[in-house]
Amino acid sequence: MKRSMTVSLVLMGSAAMALPGCKPKAEAYPSAEACIAAGRETPDVCRDAFNTAEMEHERQAPHFLTRDQCVAAYGPNGCEERHVEGGSGFFMPLMLGYMMGRGLAYHPLYQDPNRRDGMIGPGGMQFYNYTGGFSGGGSGGYYGGGSFRGGSSSSSSGAGDSGTVSRGGFGGAGHGFSGGE
Amino acid sequence: MLRESSAPRPDWREKCEAVGFTFHSLDDVPYWDESARYRFPLDQIEGHIETGTRALLAMCYAAVTELVNDEQALTRLNIPRDFWPAIAESWRLQDRDLYGRFDLAYNGHGPVKLMEFNADTPTALLESAVVQWQWFEDLRAAGRLASTTDQYNSIHERLIAALSRMGIKGRLHLAAMAEHEEDQATIFYLADCAAQAGLDPVPIAIEQIGVDRQGRFTDLQDRVIAALFKLYPWEWMVRDEFGRHTLARPCTFIEPMWKMLLSNKGLCAELWRLNPRHPNLLPCYYEGDPAASALGSDVVRKPLFGREGANIEIRRGAQVAASTDGPYRGPAILQAAGPVFQNQGRTAILGSWVVAGGACGICIREEDGPITTNRARFIPHYIQG
């Protein structure tokens, strides 16, 4: 006989098969128009998300006194200068796009200083364009599902176990593609 | 090797879903397609497929021994230099491998020919090992297949046996990309096999893996990962931020690091160089190698790190007869076209499974065009005669 005598499963099909701790699927677009063109969300949702992210950007984006400080955090193409009437200007990250998605709040996205084709969002969430070069901006694109990168992860220790100092260092090269083949 | 029509079981969807095979259809088109089946006589299974698979696996293991110490070959294979010593170490210490799938060109006549080896992260595992087996048992129980029929498929038994002999005790973490249903189902299936092998399986998203101060990998509860099955290719791991942490061998990896040499399309060119004119190999060269002019007019171009049928080009003389797009650039191989099974415009590729070094089953994926992609249909098979 060339086949298994029996094939029995003890876990499959019985429990919901979802990986623990998975984040909801996130999308990112450079503009409301790109979001509308992608057709995954209604035009109203696209515009609402863009406006919300833009407001957050204006209110909460970090301000830097010098261009160098901003460039260190957001890369050479990720910053813009703002002039203040009657005062000295400042530098802040350029809003390159925004993120949205089921169960996710809308947030502005900035240049990932480590990857020209990447954008970063709150908590170090990263987005990579897998539809083609991102740098041009206008192309309507759906960006790879966000992956979280460490920084603020908890580091509780248990007996014999250790504290995690960083998380999310795997998955970036996948660009949202399947790992299997 | 014969393609036959076959009436689908009325409850095939429920049967599939009951074992966790939820991705049986893609956009309402069946991926699992039991409206057809392939029939093989036993002498083709044993004389061509099993024998050929064993020969290929032996050539692969022999090739790793050669390649780990061949700097020119490692350069040709585009393996990052930082990882060369760790790969050699992983081979020297005989880190155990679990499974792989050879994709073979075969039409029932003559030896099987290697198209590529999915040595690192093969999927189509659950449907090969479980769903196909249940289909066969159902048709036999219904009297639709004779009691003398069989199936070439002991994958499930072999996986459980192999997992119990990996030298792993207790916890086995299994990681896949968070957003891929098929990848997740694959690790949940392997988790099931691991549980039956007496291990304690812990599925985790690859993106959620952490690292501690000593450079050890951790799970979401901050527990150190001692053994990690990763359905995420080494070629991506080594380029990720955490890739450098794998150099210190912080845990048992399945597949082991040396599999990086086999899951690379350049392997086909290296095998042809090491075993010229072997009957189970197709003539194959790196693009740019002057020797490639020896290839006939029908040539297939594949990027070294291409996946799922993306960026493949079939050339007929100076013409491009067929091609697929995709994101994979970089060095490529040129391989002679193989004797692929063809039937009314369809092509069928034979996937030949190996578990712990043993040939143990097949899957057949059928495509309407000449290039097998992730939209191919899975067709079950049986043995008669």
Short mmCIF file of all heavy atoms in Angstrom, two decimals, chain A residues 1-5 8 10-12 19 21 25 149 156 162-174 176-181, chain B residues 46 50 101 118 121 123 133 137 140 150-151 153 156-157 177 180 183 192 196 207-212 218-219 222 232 240-242 307:
data_model
loop_
_atom_site.label_atom_id
_atom_site.label_comp_id
_atom_site.label_asym_id
_atom_site.label_seq_id
_atom_site.Cartn_x
_atom_site.Cartn_y
_atom_site.Cartn_z
N MET A 1 0.85 -1.20 0.00
CA MET A 1 0.00 0.00 0.00
C MET A 1 0.88 1.24 0.00
O MET A 1 1.83 1.34 0.76
CB MET A 1 -0.90 -0.02 1.24
CG MET A 1 -2.03 0.98 1.14
SD MET A 1 -3.37 0.62 2.30
CE MET A 1 -2.90 1.61 3.68
N LYS A 2 0.55 2.20 -0.86
CA LYS A 2 1.38 3.39 -1.02
C LYS A 2 0.77 4.60 -0.33
O LYS A 2 1.18 5.73 -0.56
CB LYS A 2 1.59 3.71 -2.51
CG LYS A 2 1.99 2.55 -3.35
CD LYS A 2 3.42 2.37 -3.73
CE LYS A 2 4.37 3.46 -3.85
NZ LYS A 2 5.75 2.93 -3.64
N ARG A 3 -0.27 4.38 0.47
CA ARG A 3 -0.91 5.54 1.11
C ARG A 3 -0.94 5.38 2.63
O ARG A 3 -0.70 4.28 3.14
CB ARG A 3 -2.33 5.74 0.57
CG ARG A 3 -3.30 4.65 0.95
CD ARG A 3 -4.66 4.89 0.30
NE ARG A 3 -5.70 4.00 0.82
CZ ARG A 3 -5.87 2.74 0.41
NH1 ARG A 3 -5.08 2.20 -0.48
NH2 ARG A 3 -6.84 2.00 0.93
N SER A 4 -1.23 6.47 3.31
CA SER A 4 -1.33 6.42 4.77
C SER A 4 -2.43 5.46 5.18
O SER A 4 -3.48 5.39 4.55
CB SER A 4 -1.66 7.82 5.33
OG SER A 4 -0.66 8.75 5.01
N MET A 5 -2.18 4.70 6.26
CA MET A 5 -3.21 3.78 6.77
C MET A 5 -4.42 4.57 7.25
O MET A 5 -5.56 4.25 6.94
CB MET A 5 -2.65 2.99 7.96
CG MET A 5 -1.53 2.04 7.61
SD MET A 5 -2.18 0.48 7.02
CE MET A 5 -2.73 -0.25 8.55
N SER A 8 -5.84 11.09 10.54
CA SER A 8 -6.74 11.73 11.49
C SER A 8 -6.12 13.04 11.93
O SER A 8 -4.90 13.19 11.97
CB SER A 8 -6.97 10.81 12.69
OG SER A 8 -5.73 10.44 13.25
N VAL A 10 -6.28 16.23 14.84
CA VAL A 10 -6.72 16.48 16.22
C VAL A 10 -7.01 17.96 16.47
O VAL A 10 -7.70 18.31 17.42
CB VAL A 10 -5.67 15.98 17.24
CG1 VAL A 10 -5.54 14.47 17.15
CG2 VAL A 10 -4.31 16.63 17.03
N LEU A 11 -6.47 18.82 15.63
CA LEU A 11 -6.68 20.27 15.85
C LEU A 11 -7.41 20.93 14.70
O LEU A 11 -8.23 21.83 14.90
CB LEU A 11 -5.32 20.98 16.03
CG LEU A 11 -4.37 20.46 17.10
CD1 LEU A 11 -3.03 21.18 17.00
CD2 LEU A 11 -4.98 20.68 18.47
N MET A 12 -7.11 20.51 13.49
CA MET A 12 -7.64 21.19 12.30
C MET A 12 -9.15 21.15 12.27
O MET A 12 -9.77 20.14 12.57
CB MET A 12 -7.13 20.52 11.03
CG MET A 12 -5.67 20.68 10.77
SD MET A 12 -5.21 22.37 10.38
CE MET A 12 -5.72 22.52 8.67
N LEU A 19 -4.04 33.22 13.60
CA LEU A 19 -2.85 33.39 14.42
C LEU A 19 -3.14 34.39 15.51
O LEU A 19 -3.77 35.42 15.28
CB LEU A 19 -1.69 33.88 13.55
CG LEU A 19 -1.18 32.84 12.56
CD1 LEU A 19 -0.21 33.46 11.59
CD2 LEU A 19 -0.55 31.68 13.29
N GLY A 21 -2.80 37.41 17.99
CA GLY A 21 -2.09 38.68 17.95
C GLY A 21 -1.99 39.31 16.58
O GLY A 21 -1.28 40.28 16.40
N LYS A 25 -6.14 44.01 8.92
CA LYS A 25 -5.49 44.34 7.67
C LYS A 25 -5.48 45.85 7.47
O LYS A 25 -6.50 46.50 7.57
CB LYS A 25 -6.24 43.69 6.52
CG LYS A 25 -5.39 43.50 5.29
CD LYS A 25 -6.18 42.72 4.25
CE LYS A 25 -5.30 42.41 3.04
NZ LYS A 25 -4.41 41.28 3.27
N ARG A 149 7.02 47.12 14.11
CA ARG A 149 8.42 47.04 14.47
C ARG A 149 8.55 47.54 15.89
O ARG A 149 7.90 48.49 16.29
CB ARG A 149 9.22 47.91 13.51
CG ARG A 149 10.69 47.81 13.74
CD ARG A 149 11.42 48.26 12.52
NE ARG A 149 11.29 49.69 12.30
CZ ARG A 149 12.12 50.35 11.48
NH1 ARG A 149 13.04 49.71 10.83
NH2 ARG A 149 12.00 51.63 11.31
N SER A 156 8.13 42.07 29.85
CA SER A 156 7.92 41.35 31.10
C SER A 156 8.73 40.07 31.07
O SER A 156 8.85 39.43 30.05
CB SER A 156 6.44 41.02 31.26
OG SER A 156 6.00 40.23 30.19
N SER A 162 12.76 35.30 28.98
CA SER A 162 13.54 36.52 28.86
C SER A 162 12.67 37.66 28.39
O SER A 162 11.53 37.48 27.99
CB SER A 162 14.64 36.29 27.86
OG SER A 162 14.06 36.06 26.60
N GLY A 163 13.21 38.83 28.43
CA GLY A 163 12.49 40.00 27.99
C GLY A 163 12.75 40.25 26.52
O GLY A 163 13.88 40.18 26.05
N THR A 164 11.66 40.54 25.80
CA THR A 164 11.81 40.85 24.39
C THR A 164 12.21 42.31 24.25
O THR A 164 11.60 43.17 24.85
CB THR A 164 10.46 40.60 23.68
OG1 THR A 164 10.13 39.23 23.86
CG2 THR A 164 10.55 40.93 22.21
N VAL A 165 13.25 42.56 23.49
CA VAL A 165 13.68 43.95 23.34
C VAL A 165 13.23 44.55 22.01
O VAL A 165 13.21 45.76 21.84
CB VAL A 165 15.22 44.09 23.47
CG1 VAL A 165 15.64 43.77 24.89
CG2 VAL A 165 15.95 43.20 22.48
N SER A 166 12.87 43.70 21.07
CA SER A 166 12.42 44.21 19.79
C SER A 166 11.52 43.16 19.14
O SER A 166 11.67 41.97 19.37
CB SER A 166 13.64 44.48 18.90
OG SER A 166 13.22 44.89 17.62
N ARG A 167 10.55 43.64 18.36
CA ARG A 167 9.63 42.72 17.69
C ARG A 167 9.42 43.19 16.25
O ARG A 167 9.57 44.37 15.95
CB ARG A 167 8.29 42.72 18.43
CG ARG A 167 7.76 41.32 18.72
CD ARG A 167 6.44 41.40 19.49
NE ARG A 167 6.59 41.08 20.90
CZ ARG A 167 6.98 39.91 21.38
NH1 ARG A 167 7.27 38.91 20.57
NH2 ARG A 167 7.08 39.71 22.66
N GLY A 168 9.06 42.29 15.41
CA GLY A 168 8.68 42.70 14.06
C GLY A 168 9.83 42.76 13.08
O GLY A 168 9.73 43.36 12.02
N GLY A 169 10.95 42.10 13.39
CA GLY A 169 12.10 42.13 12.48
C GLY A 169 12.03 41.10 11.37
O GLY A 169 12.92 41.04 10.52
N PHE A 170 10.98 40.30 11.35
CA PHE A 170 10.76 39.39 10.23
C PHE A 170 9.48 39.79 9.51
O PHE A 170 8.52 40.24 10.14
CB PHE A 170 10.62 37.94 10.69
CG PHE A 170 11.92 37.26 11.02
CD1 PHE A 170 12.07 36.59 12.22
CD2 PHE A 170 12.98 37.28 10.12
CE1 PHE A 170 13.27 35.95 12.52
CE2 PHE A 170 14.17 36.65 10.42
CZ PHE A 170 14.31 35.98 11.62
N GLY A 171 9.46 39.57 8.22
CA GLY A 171 8.24 39.82 7.45
C GLY A 171 8.39 40.93 6.44
O GLY A 171 7.63 41.00 5.48
N GLY A 172 9.38 41.81 6.65
CA GLY A 172 9.53 42.95 5.75
C GLY A 172 9.85 42.56 4.32
O GLY A 172 9.25 43.06 3.38
N ALA A 173 10.77 41.61 4.16
CA ALA A 173 11.18 41.22 2.81
C ALA A 173 10.04 40.53 2.06
O ALA A 173 10.08 40.42 0.84
CB ALA A 173 12.40 40.29 2.88
N GLY A 174 9.03 40.07 2.80
CA GLY A 174 7.92 39.39 2.14
C GLY A 174 7.05 40.31 1.32
O GLY A 174 6.34 39.86 0.42
N GLY A 176 4.34 41.43 1.67
CA GLY A 176 2.93 41.05 1.61
C GLY A 176 2.66 39.83 0.76
O GLY A 176 1.53 39.39 0.65
N PHE A 177 3.68 39.25 0.13
CA PHE A 177 3.45 38.05 -0.65
C PHE A 177 3.36 36.84 0.25
O PHE A 177 3.83 36.85 1.39
CB PHE A 177 4.58 37.84 -1.66
CG PHE A 177 4.51 38.78 -2.82
CD1 PHE A 177 5.20 39.96 -2.79
CD2 PHE A 177 3.72 38.48 -3.91
CE1 PHE A 177 5.13 40.84 -3.86
CE2 PHE A 177 3.64 39.35 -4.97
CZ PHE A 177 4.35 40.54 -4.94
N SER A 178 2.82 35.77 -0.29
CA SER A 178 2.76 34.52 0.45
C SER A 178 4.16 33.96 0.63
O SER A 178 5.00 34.06 -0.25
CB SER A 178 1.89 33.54 -0.34
OG SER A 178 2.16 32.22 0.07
N GLY A 179 4.41 33.37 1.81
CA GLY A 179 5.72 32.76 2.05
C GLY A 179 5.81 31.36 1.48
O GLY A 179 6.89 30.83 1.32
N GLY A 180 4.67 30.74 1.22
CA GLY A 180 4.68 29.38 0.70
C GLY A 180 4.67 29.38 -0.82
O GLY A 180 4.47 30.39 -1.45
N GLU A 181 4.94 28.24 -1.39
CA GLU A 181 4.84 28.13 -2.84
C GLU A 181 4.57 26.70 -3.25
O GLU A 181 4.80 25.79 -2.51
CB GLU A 181 6.10 28.64 -3.53
CG GLU A 181 7.36 27.86 -3.23
CD GLU A 181 8.57 28.39 -3.98
OE1 GLU A 181 8.38 29.02 -5.03
OE2 GLU A 181 9.68 28.19 -3.51
N GLU B 46 6.19 3.85 -9.27
CA GLU B 46 7.43 3.36 -8.65
C GLU B 46 8.62 3.48 -9.57
O GLU B 46 9.70 3.91 -9.15
CB GLU B 46 7.23 1.89 -8.21
CG GLU B 46 6.21 1.79 -7.09
CD GLU B 46 6.12 0.40 -6.46
OE1 GLU B 46 6.41 -0.60 -7.16
OE2 GLU B 46 5.75 0.33 -5.27
N GLU B 50 8.81 7.62 -8.14
CA GLU B 50 9.49 7.38 -6.86
C GLU B 50 11.00 7.24 -7.08
O GLU B 50 11.80 7.86 -6.36
CB GLU B 50 8.91 6.11 -6.23
CG GLU B 50 9.14 6.01 -4.75
CD GLU B 50 8.31 4.88 -4.13
OE1 GLU B 50 8.11 3.83 -4.80
OE2 GLU B 50 7.86 5.05 -2.99
N ARG B 101 9.16 19.67 -1.86
CA ARG B 101 8.36 19.21 -3.01
C ARG B 101 9.12 19.50 -4.30
O ARG B 101 9.42 20.64 -4.61
CB ARG B 101 7.01 19.93 -3.05
CG ARG B 101 6.01 19.31 -4.01
CD ARG B 101 4.78 20.20 -4.23
NE ARG B 101 5.09 21.33 -5.05
CZ ARG B 101 4.83 22.60 -4.73
NH1 ARG B 101 4.22 22.91 -3.62
NH2 ARG B 101 5.17 23.57 -5.55
N ASN B 118 11.04 22.94 -4.48
CA ASN B 118 10.53 23.81 -3.42
C ASN B 118 10.99 23.19 -2.10
O ASN B 118 10.27 22.44 -1.47
CB ASN B 118 9.01 23.91 -3.51
CG ASN B 118 8.57 24.55 -4.81
OD1 ASN B 118 8.90 25.69 -5.09
ND2 ASN B 118 7.87 23.79 -5.63
N THR B 121 9.87 26.16 1.62
CA THR B 121 8.54 26.54 2.12
C THR B 121 7.42 26.01 1.23
O THR B 121 6.57 26.78 0.78
CB THR B 121 8.41 28.08 2.19
OG1 THR B 121 8.61 28.61 0.87
CG2 THR B 121 9.41 28.69 3.13
N THR B 123 3.95 24.66 -0.05
CA THR B 123 2.55 24.56 0.38
C THR B 123 1.86 23.53 -0.51
O THR B 123 2.54 22.75 -1.17
CB THR B 123 1.85 25.93 0.35
OG1 THR B 123 2.08 26.52 -0.92
CG2 THR B 123 2.38 26.84 1.43
N TRP B 133 -6.38 12.29 0.11
CA TRP B 133 -6.53 10.96 0.71
C TRP B 133 -8.00 10.69 1.02
O TRP B 133 -8.53 9.61 0.74
CB TRP B 133 -5.68 10.91 1.99
CG TRP B 133 -5.60 9.57 2.67
CD1 TRP B 133 -4.67 8.61 2.47
CD2 TRP B 133 -6.48 9.07 3.68
NE1 TRP B 133 -4.91 7.53 3.29
CE2 TRP B 133 -6.02 7.78 4.04
CE3 TRP B 133 -7.62 9.56 4.31
CZ2 TRP B 133 -6.66 7.00 5.00
CZ3 TRP B 133 -8.26 8.78 5.26
CH2 TRP B 133 -7.77 7.51 5.60
N GLU B 137 -10.50 7.74 -0.38
CA GLU B 137 -11.22 6.81 0.50
C GLU B 137 -12.74 6.91 0.27
O GLU B 137 -13.44 5.89 0.27
CB GLU B 137 -10.90 7.09 1.97
CG GLU B 137 -9.44 6.77 2.36
CD GLU B 137 -9.14 5.27 2.37
OE1 GLU B 137 -10.06 4.46 2.58
OE2 GLU B 137 -7.95 4.92 2.18
N ARG B 140 -13.63 5.14 -3.00
CA ARG B 140 -13.56 3.68 -2.83
C ARG B 140 -14.72 3.16 -2.01
O ARG B 140 -15.33 2.15 -2.34
CB ARG B 140 -12.24 3.30 -2.16
CG ARG B 140 -11.25 2.97 -3.22
CD ARG B 140 -10.05 2.21 -2.83
NE ARG B 140 -9.97 1.62 -1.51
CZ ARG B 140 -9.24 0.54 -1.27
NH1 ARG B 140 -8.61 -0.06 -2.26
NH2 ARG B 140 -9.15 0.07 -0.07
N ASP B 150 -5.20 2.26 -5.38
CA ASP B 150 -4.41 2.79 -4.27
C ASP B 150 -4.10 4.25 -4.58
O ASP B 150 -4.54 4.80 -5.60
CB ASP B 150 -3.12 1.96 -4.14
CG ASP B 150 -2.41 2.14 -2.79
OD1 ASP B 150 -2.87 2.94 -1.96
OD2 ASP B 150 -1.37 1.47 -2.58
N GLN B 151 -3.36 4.87 -3.69
CA GLN B 151 -2.93 6.24 -3.93
C GLN B 151 -1.49 6.37 -3.43
O GLN B 151 -1.14 5.79 -2.40
CB GLN B 151 -3.84 7.22 -3.17
CG GLN B 151 -3.57 8.69 -3.50
CD GLN B 151 -4.58 9.61 -2.81
OE1 GLN B 151 -4.54 9.80 -1.60
NE2 GLN B 151 -5.49 10.17 -3.60
N ASN B 153 0.57 8.24 -1.50
CA ASN B 153 0.39 9.33 -0.55
C ASN B 153 0.47 8.86 0.90
O ASN B 153 -0.53 8.61 1.54
CB ASN B 153 -0.99 9.97 -0.81
CG ASN B 153 -1.30 11.10 0.15
OD1 ASN B 153 -0.43 11.56 0.88
ND2 ASN B 153 -2.54 11.54 0.14
N HIS B 156 1.06 12.14 5.28
CA HIS B 156 0.60 12.43 6.64
C HIS B 156 1.33 11.59 7.68
O HIS B 156 1.85 12.10 8.67
CB HIS B 156 -0.91 12.21 6.71
CG HIS B 156 -1.53 12.52 8.03
ND1 HIS B 156 -1.78 13.81 8.45
CD2 HIS B 156 -1.94 11.71 9.05
CE1 HIS B 156 -2.32 13.79 9.67
NE2 HIS B 156 -2.44 12.51 10.04
N GLU B 157 1.37 10.28 7.44
CA GLU B 157 2.07 9.39 8.38
C GLU B 157 3.54 9.76 8.51
O GLU B 157 4.10 9.76 9.61
CB GLU B 157 2.02 7.94 7.85
CG GLU B 157 0.71 7.26 8.08
CD GLU B 157 0.70 5.84 7.52
OE1 GLU B 157 1.70 5.39 6.90
OE2 GLU B 157 -0.32 5.18 7.70
N MET B 177 3.32 34.12 7.54
CA MET B 177 2.89 35.50 7.33
C MET B 177 1.45 35.64 7.83
O MET B 177 0.61 34.80 7.58
CB MET B 177 2.94 35.85 5.85
CG MET B 177 4.32 35.71 5.25
SD MET B 177 5.28 37.23 5.36
CE MET B 177 4.54 38.15 4.03
N HIS B 180 -1.92 35.48 5.20
CA HIS B 180 -2.11 34.54 4.11
C HIS B 180 -2.80 33.28 4.60
O HIS B 180 -2.23 32.48 5.33
CB HIS B 180 -0.77 34.23 3.44
CG HIS B 180 -0.26 35.42 2.70
ND1 HIS B 180 -0.68 35.72 1.43
CD2 HIS B 180 0.56 36.42 3.07
CE1 HIS B 180 -0.11 36.85 1.05
NE2 HIS B 180 0.64 37.29 2.03
N ASP B 183 -1.06 29.96 3.84
CA ASP B 183 0.13 29.75 4.66
C ASP B 183 -0.25 29.41 6.09
O ASP B 183 0.35 28.54 6.73
CB ASP B 183 1.01 31.01 4.66
CG ASP B 183 1.63 31.28 3.28
OD1 ASP B 183 1.32 30.53 2.35
OD2 ASP B 183 2.42 32.23 3.17
N ASP B 192 -0.90 20.40 13.81
CA ASP B 192 -1.70 19.21 14.09
C ASP B 192 -0.81 17.96 14.07
O ASP B 192 -0.85 17.13 15.00
CB ASP B 192 -2.81 19.10 13.03
CG ASP B 192 -3.93 18.17 13.45
OD1 ASP B 192 -3.63 16.99 13.70
OD2 ASP B 192 -5.09 18.61 13.52
N GLN B 196 0.34 15.40 17.21
CA GLN B 196 0.25 13.94 17.15
C GLN B 196 1.62 13.28 17.33
O GLN B 196 1.71 12.10 17.64
CB GLN B 196 -0.38 13.50 15.82
CG GLN B 196 -1.82 13.98 15.67
CD GLN B 196 -2.50 13.42 14.44
OE1 GLN B 196 -2.57 12.21 14.26
NE2 GLN B 196 -2.99 14.31 13.58
N GLU B 207 5.66 38.03 11.70
CA GLU B 207 5.88 39.45 12.01
C GLU B 207 5.88 39.72 13.51
O GLU B 207 6.33 40.78 13.96
CB GLU B 207 4.77 40.31 11.37
CG GLU B 207 4.73 40.27 9.85
CD GLU B 207 3.80 39.19 9.32
OE1 GLU B 207 3.53 38.20 10.05
OE2 GLU B 207 3.33 39.33 8.17
N GLN B 208 5.35 38.77 14.30
CA GLN B 208 5.23 38.98 15.74
C GLN B 208 6.41 38.42 16.53
O GLN B 208 6.48 38.59 17.75
CB GLN B 208 3.95 38.32 16.27
CG GLN B 208 2.67 38.80 15.61
CD GLN B 208 2.25 40.16 16.08
OE1 GLN B 208 2.95 40.79 16.87
NE2 GLN B 208 1.14 40.65 15.59
N ILE B 209 7.31 37.75 15.83
CA ILE B 209 8.46 37.19 16.54
C ILE B 209 9.31 38.32 17.10
O ILE B 209 9.53 39.34 16.44
CB ILE B 209 9.28 36.29 15.59
CG1 ILE B 209 8.49 35.02 15.28
CG2 ILE B 209 10.65 35.95 16.18
CD1 ILE B 209 9.15 34.09 14.31
N GLY B 210 9.74 38.13 18.34
CA GLY B 210 10.59 39.13 18.98
C GLY B 210 12.00 38.60 19.17
O GLY B 210 12.29 37.43 18.86
N VAL B 211 12.85 39.46 19.67
CA VAL B 211 14.21 39.03 19.97
C VAL B 211 14.57 39.59 21.34
O VAL B 211 14.15 40.70 21.70
CB VAL B 211 15.18 39.49 18.85
CG1 VAL B 211 15.40 40.98 18.85
CG2 VAL B 211 16.50 38.77 18.92
N ASP B 212 15.29 38.80 22.14
CA ASP B 212 15.65 39.28 23.49
C ASP B 212 17.10 39.78 23.50
O ASP B 212 17.76 39.83 22.47
CB ASP B 212 15.39 38.20 24.55
CG ASP B 212 16.38 37.05 24.49
OD1 ASP B 212 17.35 37.12 23.69
OD2 ASP B 212 16.21 36.07 25.24
N THR B 218 11.74 35.26 20.50
CA THR B 218 10.72 35.11 21.54
C THR B 218 9.33 35.15 20.92
O THR B 218 9.13 35.68 19.82
CB THR B 218 10.82 36.24 22.57
OG1 THR B 218 10.67 37.50 21.89
CG2 THR B 218 12.15 36.23 23.30
N ASP B 219 8.36 34.58 21.63
CA ASP B 219 6.98 34.63 21.16
C ASP B 219 6.23 35.76 21.87
O ASP B 219 6.84 36.57 22.57
CB ASP B 219 6.30 33.26 21.31
CG ASP B 219 6.08 32.86 22.77
OD1 ASP B 219 6.27 33.69 23.68
OD2 ASP B 219 5.72 31.68 23.00
N ASP B 222 6.71 36.31 25.44
CA ASP B 222 8.12 36.48 25.81
C ASP B 222 8.83 35.17 26.14
O ASP B 222 9.86 35.16 26.81
CB ASP B 222 8.27 37.45 27.00
CG ASP B 222 8.21 38.90 26.56
OD1 ASP B 222 8.22 39.14 25.33
OD2 ASP B 222 8.15 39.78 27.42
N TYR B 232 8.39 30.71 5.75
CA TYR B 232 8.86 32.01 5.32
C TYR B 232 10.27 31.77 4.82
O TYR B 232 11.11 31.24 5.55
CB TYR B 232 8.84 32.97 6.51
CG TYR B 232 9.18 34.41 6.20
CD1 TYR B 232 8.23 35.25 5.62
CD2 TYR B 232 10.44 34.92 6.47
CE1 TYR B 232 8.54 36.58 5.35
CE2 TYR B 232 10.75 36.24 6.19
CZ TYR B 232 9.80 37.06 5.63
OH TYR B 232 10.10 38.38 5.35
N ASP B 240 15.91 40.29 6.05
CA ASP B 240 15.13 41.02 7.06
C ASP B 240 16.03 41.52 8.19
O ASP B 240 17.13 41.01 8.40
CB ASP B 240 14.06 40.09 7.67
CG ASP B 240 12.78 40.08 6.86
OD1 ASP B 240 12.55 41.03 6.08
OD2 ASP B 240 11.99 39.12 7.02
N GLU B 241 15.47 42.46 8.93
CA GLU B 241 16.22 43.07 10.04
C GLU B 241 16.71 42.02 11.06
O GLU B 241 17.82 42.11 11.58
CB GLU B 241 15.27 44.06 10.72
CG GLU B 241 15.89 44.91 11.79
CD GLU B 241 14.84 45.75 12.50
OE1 GLU B 241 13.81 46.10 11.87
OE2 GLU B 241 15.03 46.03 13.69
N PHE B 242 15.87 41.01 11.34
CA PHE B 242 16.25 39.99 12.32
C PHE B 242 17.11 38.88 11.72
O PHE B 242 17.53 37.96 12.44
CB PHE B 242 15.00 39.35 12.94
CG PHE B 242 14.37 40.16 14.03
CD1 PHE B 242 14.90 41.39 14.43
CD2 PHE B 242 13.22 39.69 14.69
CE1 PHE B 242 14.30 42.13 15.44
CE2 PHE B 242 12.62 40.42 15.70
CZ PHE B 242 13.16 41.65 16.07
N ARG B 307 8.94 33.12 -7.37
CA ARG B 307 8.04 32.25 -6.62
C ARG B 307 6.69 32.19 -7.32
O ARG B 307 6.29 33.13 -7.99
CB ARG B 307 7.85 32.79 -5.20
CG ARG B 307 9.18 33.03 -4.47
CD ARG B 307 8.95 33.67 -3.13
NE ARG B 307 8.25 32.78 -2.23
CZ ARG B 307 8.82 31.75 -1.61
NH1 ARG B 307 10.09 31.52 -1.77
NH2 ARG B 307 8.12 30.98 -0.84
#
